[in-house]
Amino acid sequence: MERTSYLDYAATTPVDPRVVEAMLPYFTERFGNANSLYALGREAARALEDARERVARSIDAARPDEIIFTSGGTESDNTALIGLATAGGRSSGHIIVSAFEHHAVLEPAWWLGKHGFEVTELTPHPDGTVHPDDLAAALRDDTVLVSVMHGNNEIGTIQPIAELAAVTHAGGALFHTDAAQTLGKIEFDVAALGVDAASFSGHKIYGPKGTGVLYLKGGTRLSTYLMGGGQESKKRSGTQNVAGNIGFATALELMDAERPAEAPRLTALRDRLVSELLGEIEYAQLNAAEAPERLPHIANFVIPGVEGEAMLLHLDAAGIAVSTGSACSSGSLKPSHVLLSIGCPVEFAHGSLRVSLGRFTTDEDIDHLIGSLAPVVERLRSMNPLYEKTVAELAGTHE
Amino acid sequence: MERTSYLDYAATTPVDPRVVEAMLPYFTERFGNANSLYALGREAARALEDARERVARSIDAARPDEIIFTSGGTESDNTALIGLATAGGRSSGHIIVSAFEHHAVLEPAWWLGKHGFEVTELTPHPDGTVHPDDLAAALRDDTVLVSVMHGNNEIGTIQPIAELAAVTHAGGALFHTDAAQTLGKIEFDVAALGVDAASFSGHKIYGPKGTGVLYLKGGTRLSTYLMGGGQESKKRSGTQNVAGNIGFATALELMDAERPAEAPRLTALRDRLVSELLGEIEYAQLNAAEAPERLPHIANFVIPGVEGEAMLLHLDAAGIAVSTGSACSSGSLKPSHVLLSIGCPVEFAHGSLRVSLGRFTTDEDIDHLIGSLAPVVERLRSMNPLYEKTVAELAGTHE
Amino acid sequence: MIYSDKVMDHFGNPRNVGVLEDADGTGEVGNPVCGDVMKITIKVDDDRIGDIRFQTLGCGAAIATSSIVTEMAKGMTLAEAVAITKSQVAEELGGLPPAKMHCSVLATDGLKKAVDDYLVSQGREPIAVGTIAHDDPDFDPHAEEHDEACEV
Amino acid sequence: MIYSDKVMDHFGNPRNVGVLEDADGTGEVGNPVCGDVMKITIKVDDDRIGDIRFQTLGCGAAIATSSIVTEMAKGMTLAEAVAITKSQVAEELGGLPPAKMHCSVLATDGLKKAVDDYLVSQGREPIAVGTIAHDDPDFDPHAEEHDEACEV
Ligand SMILES: Cc1ncc(COP(=O)(O)O)c(C=O)c1O
Ligand SMILES: Cc1ncc(COP(=O)(O)O)c(C=O)c1O
């Protein structure tokens, strides 16, 4: 295969070599258990606490112990949803999540819905955002927790978290945000946003898979999710992944250091991608095109008359890695719950394309995708028995 | 500092350089998300499934999908206890655990005890084993789950798992074992033991921290603990830690390959340690000395008239890393629940010493410990205002 | 979820793509809301499938199963063609991921419909009616799919 | 949990270890079941602590707080000595991990007991009685300790 272009940074990122470098000594030499009292353990504890402080500094946490190291975005989300809802032994109440959350938030919310809690799913607007007014209307006296993601992983729209958190607090509930896609990509400041809890994932920021962080504002009660030896100030048990957590902190610092140059670079690449793709592919549309704010690195398209997986596999054969916006990139027929939630028709949701850019994306990658996509779409449309009908309908709706 | 001797392999192990080597490509080059359809994702999926097969082979699992990758022993234990007890929506029933389980088992058991279940804690015998007869007597019609650890992490005694599992099955319940300390150290064969579930931890076998496995026998119902994207056949969500899981599998294979030589080597080192330490330190005793079977690498002593942490810190100053058998090596005053459960008097439990050996332990390390321990004990006893009284009592009981 | 080499071959180089202008029978199954639609056209020669073409909107497995079923059917008697099972299709492709097994029904159903369409046009009795999953109001092509990991 | 350098210094090189043979006052607090016991002996000179020695069975913090309290007390008037608080002890050591704060009570209690023992032996009024935590039936030295990680 000639050129390969990785354009799925929202799915995962390579670990930056500088991050690997920072982790390496903690595998073999500085391998102590951070809970052990002797020198090797103290060295590990110091490195762990240093990593915690670096993460706290990056997100402007008030205190290092507001940073809880976890095994990833999923564990952070599960812990936040279930741990906050059931804190202090609470076994009922109302929680609100947006309908286009990641399943790592939706599933625990649904679990709570089956175990004594009531769950409201807030529908985002077609511009891909959750409106504070809608949240205000959904809040109830017994609402205990609201969770709305910061940047959506499929369509890249950014939610007005500060307003949503303020509305939530006015209603007397706690506010959690899943910021797995935003950390490092745009400014993330817990103090400015006013959130009580936030979830992050290492492998989205050029850190290792299997690492994550839950930010939990000091004084917020949480029922522990992983129970045992009482590590992480009794908030998350399990021998700490010292190397991984150092990797997380290092990766985050690199994101912060490079963001001033990287965010505009990615934004420009993305904007060129959007305009060229829409120009090149007949009937293609940008999803949530009216979004007031979007992440620099994600663009999601509907390509009518084409099925997502087939498109993805042909692009793969051309050396291009992208994802279809479908909720289940690998297996399910179900169209993306995110696209459906913003009003995308089901038959179009099956033909979505998510392109996500990152540290190693160049203009050539964009050219590669644009150049390869047109013939793939052409070919798949020519094999689509309904394509003429689809075009007729599109022509109808477009006039 | 001159020589340093790491003698706390039961707390954690260094990652073997061969394991690091195996993981490295999966950080930077083969970084794909194992759930992505394109080539990079398929490569990751293949590596992940290969790791799963290697683990399945090592423990003689019937099928690779009986292996669920987790973030560590703690998550495996939490998932097994809560996931098996509450499978299929069950919200009450009786569970049995041994009193000297790790807190990663005890805490979830106690949590179940507060959420509709009844919990029996089986007291082990002074020889450090849980007797099948006691289990048979404790089983009830409504017992749904029994969890007894394979090798105890403090005193190293091995439980008769095959008998315990058989008794449990005769009573119609499921059997889980925490084998974090035994995997790789002695033969572990799920088929021969007949367990329904077993927990393992990567950092105890020269693999990376933050990795673990839950073995779950095919067909066994489990309610998911970490919920979300549905990875690991919907049994454990969260983007898989491909590098870490490859590290786990590689580490386990190395343990298997080296065990025929390593187990007798460690046993001999340990036996020398025991006899020399008991000869050198007046009134010292080996805990659970009558155990029918013990792990090759763990020995736990009571040193009357000495407090554990103080002993540990003086040994640390001499370059020796050991642990005190106290349940809370770093902070708590509480004496070890393990030692108390086998009948060790509280005042002696405060003065326990766990020595655990591993891959890089040599005769010199044992000499180093023995040579350093006597003056430390001497010094601490001379500072103990009650030492004469203690000796008088010991003399009384020993006659 | 990984496709076999044979699936990838039939997906990347599908055989018998298109529409027969002077088809003797046409079968169309599926629904864009479900994400897959297949249209099959056949020429019948002496009660055998003389020529066959397909068009499919759908995933890799939908296209590959469509392609292989046209290859399998060509030259078969009509009775043989409608007897092709979804497991035979999957087997012929070297297996399908469990989440994709429903796709082989799409292909066999399309073929069955085309055969019956021909028979009915000839004033003969349809032979596949009753065995076409897509005609069953309770048929849910998604039923088997929920065993794969999702969001990335 | 990490001890400060000063704690480690006093633990590794404790000052004033031992028992004064001709002590004017003796204080003993703690309990082997709790894991720490301290015995303090003092010589009193003109209502000041003239000489002082301690013996302690206990963890690093117990030994370090014992050692520093003897240094702090030496030369103080009896009234000053019994007024030493557990926070002063912790502060003098450059801080203690939260789980170990209870150890500083052991040291101040031992000192208070020794002073009162001397006063009572002189037929005078004890001055520390009522402020000794270990004499309070509700006192639980473990109360503050549960904020540290455990098993390794
Ligand atoms: C928005 C969002 N939340 C949560 C997750 C889950 O994170 P992890 O894969 O680290 O478990 C992801 C990524 O998969 C994500 O994009
Ligand atoms: C017996 C036992 N179970 C569980 C654990 C917890 O494993 P992990 O540290 O990987 O969470 C340990 C080690 O800490 C252990 O020794």
Side-chain angles (χ1 to χ4, degrees), chain C residues 28-63:
Chain C
E28 202 172 310
V29 282
N31 181 330
V33 169
C34 292
D36 41 21
V37 184
M38 185 202 195
K39 180 176 174 180
I40 211 160
T41 48
I42 52 172
K43 289 281 297 170
V44 180
D45 241 347
D46 198 16
D47 267 16
R48 288 184 181 270
I49 309 277
D51 205 355
I52 184 163
R53 293 284 187 284
F54 82 95
Q55 284 189 314
T56 292
L57 164 70
C59 66
I63 290 172

Tab-separated table of all heavy atoms in Angstrom, chain C residues 28-63:
chain	number	residue	atom	x	y	z
C	28	GLU	N	-36.407	-7.668	-4.906
C	28	GLU	CA	-35.854	-6.548	-4.152
C	28	GLU	C	-36.228	-6.746	-2.688
C	28	GLU	O	-37.392	-6.967	-2.360
C	28	GLU	CB	-36.410	-5.227	-4.697
C	28	GLU	CG	-35.528	-4.051	-4.348
C	28	GLU	CD	-35.963	-2.757	-5.053
C	28	GLU	OE1	-36.152	-2.779	-6.296
C	28	GLU	OE2	-36.114	-1.752	-4.351
C	29	VAL	N	-35.249	-6.686	-1.791
C	29	VAL	CA	-35.514	-6.850	-0.355
C	29	VAL	C	-34.731	-5.812	0.432
C	29	VAL	O	-33.780	-5.222	-0.078
C	29	VAL	CB	-35.099	-8.250	0.186
C	29	VAL	CG1	-36.127	-9.297	-0.188
C	29	VAL	CG2	-33.713	-8.627	-0.284
C	30	GLY	N	-35.145	-5.666	1.665
C	30	GLY	CA	-34.443	-4.725	2.542
C	30	GLY	C	-35.087	-3.363	2.510
C	30	GLY	O	-36.127	-3.158	1.886
C	31	ASN	N	-34.404	-2.423	3.183
C	31	ASN	CA	-35.066	-1.174	3.515
C	31	ASN	C	-33.972	-0.190	3.921
C	31	ASN	O	-33.127	-0.531	4.749
C	31	ASN	CB	-35.973	-1.509	4.710
C	31	ASN	CG	-36.764	-0.331	5.187
C	31	ASN	OD1	-36.334	0.815	5.071
C	31	ASN	ND2	-37.932	-0.632	5.722
C	32	PRO	N	-33.959	0.994	3.335
C	32	PRO	CA	-32.851	1.911	3.664
C	32	PRO	C	-32.828	2.289	5.143
C	32	PRO	O	-31.774	2.634	5.670
C	32	PRO	CB	-33.127	3.138	2.793
C	32	PRO	CG	-34.518	2.999	2.287
C	32	PRO	CD	-34.875	1.549	2.335
C	33	VAL	N	-33.965	2.190	5.820
C	33	VAL	CA	-34.001	2.510	7.242
C	33	VAL	C	-33.179	1.488	8.041
C	33	VAL	O	-32.562	1.805	9.054
C	33	VAL	CB	-35.461	2.579	7.735
C	33	VAL	CG1	-35.528	2.642	9.247
C	33	VAL	CG2	-36.162	3.780	7.109
C	34	CYS	N	-33.168	0.267	7.539
C	34	CYS	CA	-32.356	-0.770	8.186
C	34	CYS	C	-30.905	-0.701	7.731
C	34	CYS	O	-30.041	-1.370	8.297
C	34	CYS	CB	-32.879	-2.160	7.865
C	34	CYS	SG	-34.459	-2.467	8.611
C	35	GLY	N	-30.645	0.019	6.688
C	35	GLY	CA	-29.267	0.159	6.237
C	35	GLY	C	-28.883	-0.779	5.119
C	35	GLY	O	-27.786	-0.663	4.580
C	36	ASP	N	-29.746	-1.722	4.747
C	36	ASP	CA	-29.377	-2.526	3.577
C	36	ASP	C	-30.555	-2.873	2.670
C	36	ASP	O	-31.650	-3.186	3.112
C	36	ASP	CB	-28.529	-3.755	3.902
C	36	ASP	CG	-28.962	-4.483	5.149
C	36	ASP	OD1	-30.115	-4.321	5.555
C	36	ASP	OD2	-28.127	-5.240	5.695
C	37	VAL	N	-30.287	-2.793	1.390
C	37	VAL	CA	-31.276	-3.028	0.344
C	37	VAL	C	-30.560	-3.800	-0.757
C	37	VAL	O	-29.423	-3.481	-1.095
C	37	VAL	CB	-31.763	-1.695	-0.260
C	37	VAL	CG1	-32.859	-1.965	-1.285
C	37	VAL	CG2	-32.258	-0.745	0.811
C	38	MET	N	-31.234	-4.820	-1.287
C	38	MET	CA	-30.633	-5.599	-2.361
C	38	MET	C	-31.646	-5.783	-3.485
C	38	MET	O	-32.833	-6.013	-3.235
C	38	MET	CB	-30.237	-6.977	-1.844
C	38	MET	CG	-29.506	-7.784	-2.901
C	38	MET	SD	-29.612	-9.539	-2.545
C	38	MET	CE	-28.325	-10.134	-3.631
C	39	LYS	N	-31.127	-5.681	-4.706
C	39	LYS	CA	-31.973	-5.935	-5.874
C	39	LYS	C	-31.247	-6.954	-6.743
C	39	LYS	O	-30.055	-6.801	-7.023
C	39	LYS	CB	-32.171	-4.630	-6.643
C	39	LYS	CG	-33.030	-4.767	-7.890
C	39	LYS	CD	-33.243	-3.397	-8.510
C	39	LYS	CE	-33.973	-3.496	-9.834
C	39	LYS	NZ	-34.155	-2.143	-10.410
C	40	ILE	N	-31.969	-7.981	-7.130
C	40	ILE	CA	-31.345	-9.038	-7.920
C	40	ILE	C	-32.179	-9.233	-9.182
C	40	ILE	O	-33.412	-9.163	-9.144
C	40	ILE	CB	-31.230	-10.328	-7.053
C	40	ILE	CG1	-30.022	-11.164	-7.438
C	40	ILE	CG2	-32.495	-11.151	-7.100
C	40	ILE	CD1	-29.619	-12.139	-6.341
C	41	THR	N	-31.503	-9.391	-10.304
C	41	THR	CA	-32.232	-9.658	-11.557
C	41	THR	C	-31.665	-10.943	-12.164
C	41	THR	O	-30.445	-11.169	-12.108
C	41	THR	CB	-32.074	-8.500	-12.570
C	41	THR	OG1	-30.693	-8.141	-12.680
C	41	THR	CG2	-32.862	-7.271	-12.143
C	42	ILE	N	-32.578	-11.757	-12.706
C	42	ILE	CA	-32.126	-13.036	-13.282
C	42	ILE	C	-32.682	-13.235	-14.699
C	42	ILE	O	-33.747	-12.728	-15.052
C	42	ILE	CB	-32.559	-14.257	-12.418
C	42	ILE	CG1	-34.080	-14.220	-12.127
C	42	ILE	CG2	-31.774	-14.311	-11.128
C	42	ILE	CD1	-34.599	-15.488	-11.456
C	43	LYS	N	-31.887	-13.940	-15.482
C	43	LYS	CA	-32.356	-14.509	-16.758
C	43	LYS	C	-32.526	-16.003	-16.522
C	43	LYS	O	-31.640	-16.637	-15.922
C	43	LYS	CB	-31.299	-14.337	-17.853
C	43	LYS	CG	-31.079	-12.932	-18.353
C	43	LYS	CD	-32.131	-12.448	-19.333
C	43	LYS	CE	-32.141	-13.286	-20.632
C	43	LYS	NZ	-33.348	-12.909	-21.440
C	44	VAL	N	-33.635	-16.539	-16.953
C	44	VAL	CA	-33.879	-17.970	-16.726
C	44	VAL	C	-33.813	-18.706	-18.054
C	44	VAL	O	-34.352	-18.258	-19.066
C	44	VAL	CB	-35.249	-18.195	-16.055
C	44	VAL	CG1	-35.492	-19.679	-15.825
C	44	VAL	CG2	-35.316	-17.432	-14.735
C	45	ASP	N	-33.092	-19.819	-18.048
C	45	ASP	CA	-32.839	-20.640	-19.229
C	45	ASP	C	-33.218	-22.053	-18.866
C	45	ASP	O	-32.511	-22.689	-18.067
C	45	ASP	CB	-31.302	-20.637	-19.476
C	45	ASP	CG	-30.988	-20.042	-20.824
C	45	ASP	OD1	-31.917	-19.867	-21.646
C	45	ASP	OD2	-29.785	-19.731	-21.024
C	46	ASP	N	-34.336	-22.543	-19.395
C	46	ASP	CA	-34.643	-23.941	-19.157
C	46	ASP	C	-34.729	-24.260	-17.655
C	46	ASP	O	-34.130	-25.240	-17.179
C	46	ASP	CB	-33.538	-24.797	-19.830
C	46	ASP	CG	-34.011	-26.237	-20.016
C	46	ASP	OD1	-35.249	-26.495	-19.920
C	46	ASP	OD2	-33.132	-27.097	-20.234
C	47	ASP	N	-35.432	-23.388	-16.906
C	47	ASP	CA	-35.560	-23.513	-15.448
C	47	ASP	C	-34.240	-23.500	-14.690
C	47	ASP	O	-34.139	-23.983	-13.565
C	47	ASP	CB	-36.388	-24.754	-15.066
C	47	ASP	CG	-37.868	-24.359	-14.907
C	47	ASP	OD1	-38.243	-23.246	-15.378
C	47	ASP	OD2	-38.620	-25.123	-14.293
C	48	ARG	N	-33.224	-22.967	-15.342
C	48	ARG	CA	-31.956	-22.734	-14.628
C	48	ARG	C	-31.641	-21.242	-14.662
C	48	ARG	O	-32.082	-20.520	-15.564
C	48	ARG	CB	-30.792	-23.465	-15.318
C	48	ARG	CG	-30.852	-24.961	-15.114
C	48	ARG	CD	-29.631	-25.648	-15.712
C	48	ARG	NE	-29.750	-27.079	-15.501
C	48	ARG	CZ	-29.268	-27.713	-14.411
C	48	ARG	NH1	-28.603	-27.051	-13.494
C	48	ARG	NH2	-29.442	-29.009	-14.264
C	49	ILE	N	-30.837	-20.795	-13.640
C	49	ILE	CA	-30.400	-19.398	-13.632
C	49	ILE	C	-29.359	-19.249	-14.737
C	49	ILE	O	-28.237	-19.758	-14.632
C	49	ILE	CB	-29.760	-19.018	-12.281
C	49	ILE	CG1	-30.660	-19.399	-11.098
C	49	ILE	CG2	-29.375	-17.546	-12.265
C	49	ILE	CD1	-31.748	-18.449	-10.743
C	50	GLY	N	-29.756	-18.544	-15.805
C	50	GLY	CA	-28.834	-18.359	-16.928
C	50	GLY	C	-27.879	-17.211	-16.674
C	50	GLY	O	-26.663	-17.348	-16.773
C	51	ASP	N	-28.443	-16.069	-16.287
C	51	ASP	CA	-27.573	-14.935	-15.942
C	51	ASP	C	-28.167	-14.265	-14.711
C	51	ASP	O	-29.346	-14.437	-14.387
C	51	ASP	CB	-27.483	-13.948	-17.118
C	51	ASP	CG	-26.184	-13.147	-17.063
C	51	ASP	OD1	-25.418	-13.299	-16.077
C	51	ASP	OD2	-25.932	-12.372	-18.014
C	52	ILE	N	-27.328	-13.507	-14.028
C	52	ILE	CA	-27.758	-12.944	-12.745
C	52	ILE	C	-26.936	-11.692	-12.450
C	52	ILE	O	-25.743	-11.634	-12.760
C	52	ILE	CB	-27.615	-14.018	-11.629
C	52	ILE	CG1	-28.154	-13.520	-10.283
C	52	ILE	CG2	-26.171	-14.492	-11.492
C	52	ILE	CD1	-28.402	-14.650	-9.283
C	53	ARG	N	-27.581	-10.666	-11.933
C	53	ARG	CA	-26.896	-9.428	-11.539
C	53	ARG	C	-27.496	-8.936	-10.219
C	53	ARG	O	-28.663	-9.204	-9.917
C	53	ARG	CB	-27.121	-8.320	-12.583
C	53	ARG	CG	-26.483	-8.547	-13.924
C	53	ARG	CD	-24.970	-8.291	-13.893
C	53	ARG	NE	-24.448	-8.359	-15.249
C	53	ARG	CZ	-24.240	-9.501	-15.930
C	53	ARG	NH1	-24.507	-10.668	-15.359
C	53	ARG	NH2	-23.777	-9.452	-17.160
C	54	PHE	N	-26.671	-8.212	-9.459
C	54	PHE	CA	-27.221	-7.630	-8.230
C	54	PHE	C	-26.768	-6.187	-8.058
C	54	PHE	O	-25.757	-5.752	-8.611
C	54	PHE	CB	-26.795	-8.441	-6.995
C	54	PHE	CG	-25.408	-8.085	-6.501
C	54	PHE	CD1	-25.236	-7.151	-5.481
C	54	PHE	CD2	-24.274	-8.669	-7.069
C	54	PHE	CE1	-23.958	-6.818	-5.020
C	54	PHE	CE2	-23.000	-8.336	-6.618
C	54	PHE	CZ	-22.840	-7.411	-5.594
C	55	GLN	N	-27.548	-5.468	-7.262
C	55	GLN	CA	-27.158	-4.164	-6.716
C	55	GLN	C	-27.450	-4.218	-5.217
C	55	GLN	O	-28.517	-4.683	-4.808
C	55	GLN	CB	-27.988	-3.043	-7.335
C	55	GLN	CG	-27.581	-2.689	-8.745
C	55	GLN	CD	-28.307	-1.434	-9.203
C	55	GLN	OE1	-29.510	-1.303	-9.005
C	55	GLN	NE2	-27.572	-0.515	-9.817
C	56	THR	N	-26.517	-3.711	-4.431
C	56	THR	CA	-26.740	-3.718	-2.977
C	56	THR	C	-26.268	-2.416	-2.351
C	56	THR	O	-25.163	-1.946	-2.632
C	56	THR	CB	-26.017	-4.913	-2.318
C	56	THR	OG1	-26.656	-6.128	-2.740
C	56	THR	CG2	-26.069	-4.830	-0.792
C	57	LEU	N	-27.130	-1.867	-1.533
C	57	LEU	CA	-26.739	-0.790	-0.609
C	57	LEU	C	-26.600	-1.467	0.738
C	57	LEU	O	-27.566	-2.038	1.243
C	57	LEU	CB	-27.843	0.277	-0.541
C	57	LEU	CG	-27.751	1.249	0.655
C	57	LEU	CD1	-26.578	2.190	0.524
C	57	LEU	CD2	-29.057	2.051	0.785
C	58	GLY	N	-25.384	-1.424	1.294
C	58	GLY	CA	-25.230	-2.080	2.587
C	58	GLY	C	-23.772	-2.209	2.960
C	58	GLY	O	-22.871	-1.748	2.244
C	59	CYS	N	-23.561	-2.879	4.068
C	59	CYS	CA	-22.215	-2.984	4.621
C	59	CYS	C	-21.385	-3.979	3.831
C	59	CYS	O	-21.851	-4.587	2.858
C	59	CYS	CB	-22.312	-3.419	6.080
C	59	CYS	SG	-22.975	-5.074	6.266
C	60	GLY	N	-20.164	-4.166	4.259
C	60	GLY	CA	-19.257	-5.077	3.581
C	60	GLY	C	-19.843	-6.466	3.443
C	60	GLY	O	-19.776	-7.081	2.363
C	61	ALA	N	-20.442	-6.959	4.494
C	61	ALA	CA	-20.998	-8.311	4.458
C	61	ALA	C	-22.200	-8.379	3.530
C	61	ALA	O	-22.405	-9.385	2.831
C	61	ALA	CB	-21.394	-8.749	5.867
C	62	ALA	N	-22.994	-7.315	3.496
C	62	ALA	CA	-24.169	-7.312	2.616
C	62	ALA	C	-23.724	-7.404	1.157
C	62	ALA	O	-24.309	-8.150	0.360
C	62	ALA	CB	-24.997	-6.043	2.856
C	63	ILE	N	-22.685	-6.667	0.820
C	63	ILE	CA	-22.194	-6.698	-0.557
C	63	ILE	C	-21.545	-8.051	-0.867
C	63	ILE	O	-21.802	-8.659	-1.907
C	63	ILE	CB	-21.225	-5.513	-0.794
C	63	ILE	CG1	-22.040	-4.206	-0.796
C	63	ILE	CG2	-20.451	-5.688	-2.103
C	63	ILE	CD1	-21.212	-2.933	-0.821
